[in-house]
């Protein structure tokens, strides 16, 4: 009888263990599924966040470069250029070819007689003729000495340099 009881008890305990085990297994499996789902969602979230941040970091520099290159940098460099123009240097590069030797009727730099009447017109007229070009009695002064890449200020600085040398 006692043996039967212990067998029954053993059976009960076994069944309890079995049920507990099944419940535990189901619980673990469910946890596993929940975790898998959570991890999957996290991976998705992180990927979306990455994509969004990539997009924003891709967009920002484009905007910054555009703003910087078009709005900021040229203004600064133009200001610097205007302040640091070397009229003598511009003259050597773009004007000397004709004006040093008096090629094609160009008034020679340093020829006071050739420049007196021209200087008498005033700086603004000389600037206008040098920047826009000038057809005179002696010949043709090409606009900016034929160097369209020069800024107006650079041509003016070269005129100032030539006038200073020729009076
Ligand atoms: C291709 C030759 C040539 C080059 C290069 C040239 N000039 Fe001249 N320039 C002339 C000639 C020719 C005249 C005279 C035109 C006339 O009076 O008939 C002249 C005249 C001038 C005059 C006098 C304008 C006036 O109203 O009397 C100025 C100022 C002048 N040049 C400035 C410059 C400057 C500054 C440069 C350089 C940026 C330059 N030139 C480059 C040919 C040149």
């Amino acid at each position: 009888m006692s043996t039967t009881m212990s067998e029954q008890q053993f059976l009960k305990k076994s069944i309890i263990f079995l049920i507990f085990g099944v419940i535990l297994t189901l619980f673990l499996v469910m946890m596993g599924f929940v975790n898998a789902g959570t991890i999957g969602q996290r991976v998705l979230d992180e990927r979306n966040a990455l994509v969004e941040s990539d997009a924003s970091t891709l967009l920002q520099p484009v905007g910054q470069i555009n703003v910087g290159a078009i709005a900021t940098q040229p203004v600064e460099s133009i200001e610097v250029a205007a302040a640091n123009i070397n009229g003598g240097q511009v003259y050597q590069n773009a004007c000397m070819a004709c004006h040093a030797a008096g090629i094609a009727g160009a008034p020679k730099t340093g020829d006071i007689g050739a420049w007196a009447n021209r200087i008498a017109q005033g700086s603004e007229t000389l600037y206008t003729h040098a920047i826009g070009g000038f057809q005179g009695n002696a010949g043709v002064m090409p606009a900016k000495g034929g160097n369209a890449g020069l800024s107006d200020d650079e041509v003016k600085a070269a005129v100032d340099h030539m006038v200073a040398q020729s009076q």
Side-chain angles (χ1 to χ4, degrees):
M1 194 63 185
S2 67
T3 309
T4 312
M5 280 300 286
S6 76
E7 272 178 6
Q8 279 182 348
Q9 278 180 343
F10 178 73
L11 202 66
K12 272 184 187 174
K13 279 181 182 171
S14 294
I15 289 168
I16 288 169
F17 266 113
L18 195 70
I19 290 169
F20 184 72
V22 167
I23 288 171
L24 188 70
T25 306
L26 280 174
F27 181 71
L28 286 175
V29 166
M30 278 172 67
M31 286 297 287
F33 274 122
V34 169
N35 277 344
T38 311
I39 289 166
Q41 189 58 48
R42 273 193 206 147
V43 169
L44 267 177
D45 285 349
E46 277 173 9
R47 206 191 61 179
N48 286 344
L50 250 173
V51 167
E52 278 166 23
S53 71
D54 271 358
S56 63
T57 50
L58 274 176
L59 282 174
Q60 276 177 356
V62 170
Q64 283 169 354
I65 286 166
N66 281 343
V67 170
I70 294 168
T72 320
Q73 286 173 357
V75 172
E76 281 171 16
S77 62
I78 285 168
E79 280 169 5
V80 169
N84 293 335
I85 291 173
N86 183 337
Q89 194 65 50
V90 177
Y91 168 78
Q92 278 186 24
N93 293 337
C95 320
M96 209 173 83
C98 293
H99 284 275
I103 304 280
K108 278 173 77 169
T109 306
D111 184 340
I112 294 168
W115 277 96
N117 287 337
R118 299 181 187 273
I119 292 170
Q121 303 174 107
S123 302
E124 285 305 320
T125 303
L126 295 180
Y127 292 155
T128 307
H129 287 168
I131 292 166
F134 172 60
Q135 167 74 74
N137 296 326
V140 174
M141 163 64 203
K144 294 184 176 180
N147 193 336
L150 291 174
S151 71
D152 289 2
D153 283 338
E154 283 171 325
V155 176
K156 287 179 184 178
V159 171
D160 289 345
H161 173 81
M162 287 166 67
V163 167
Q165 303 268 302
S166 310
Q167 58 186 356

